[in-house]
């Protein structure tokens, strides 16, 4: 599984990146988690507001920091 967290380095972006890493580790999910802060890459991905999350090429969140319960649902759905 490939997870990309898009953000400019603001507090919410860093918070989301850390939360995703914690969830992946805590639930024993095998995933590559990458932080994308380059503005051109963010725009190329079609992201209009950050922080944003992309799992296996699909944007699942944009403009907020979701709860760990929501992140768990995304990760479970992406495993199937």
């Amino acid at each position: 599984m490939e997870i990309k967290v898009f953000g400019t380095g603001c507090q919410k972006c860093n918070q989301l990146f850390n939360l995703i890493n914690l969830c992946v580790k805590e639930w024993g999910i095998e995933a590559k988690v990458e932080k994308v802060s380059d503005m051109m890459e963010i725009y190329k991905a079609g992201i209009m507001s950050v922080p944003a999350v992309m799992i296996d090429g699909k944007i699942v969140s944009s403009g907020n920091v979701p709860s760990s319960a929501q992140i768990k649902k995304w990760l479970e759905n992406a495993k199937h």
Side-chain angles (χ1 to χ4, degrees), residues 18-75:
N18 292 334
L19 182 58
I20 296 258
N21 275 303
L22 179 69
C23 290
V24 165
K25 182 179 178 183
E26 195 172 288
W27 297 318
I29 294 171
E30 195 171 314
K32 176 186 172 195
V33 182
E34 178 183 352
K35 189 179 208 178
V36 179
S37 57
D38 180 73
M39 289 305 291
M40 290 306 291
E41 291 299 316
I42 292 170
Y43 290 129
K44 283 181 189 176
I47 309 281
M48 299 309 261
S49 60
V50 293
V53 179
M54 179 183 284
I55 299 177
D56 292 334
K58 181 182 176 191
I59 298 169
V60 295
S61 175
S62 180
N64 66 354
V65 177
S67 68
S68 59
Q70 181 62 53
I71 293 169
K72 186 174 185 178
K73 285 181 188 175
W74 297 334
L75 298 176

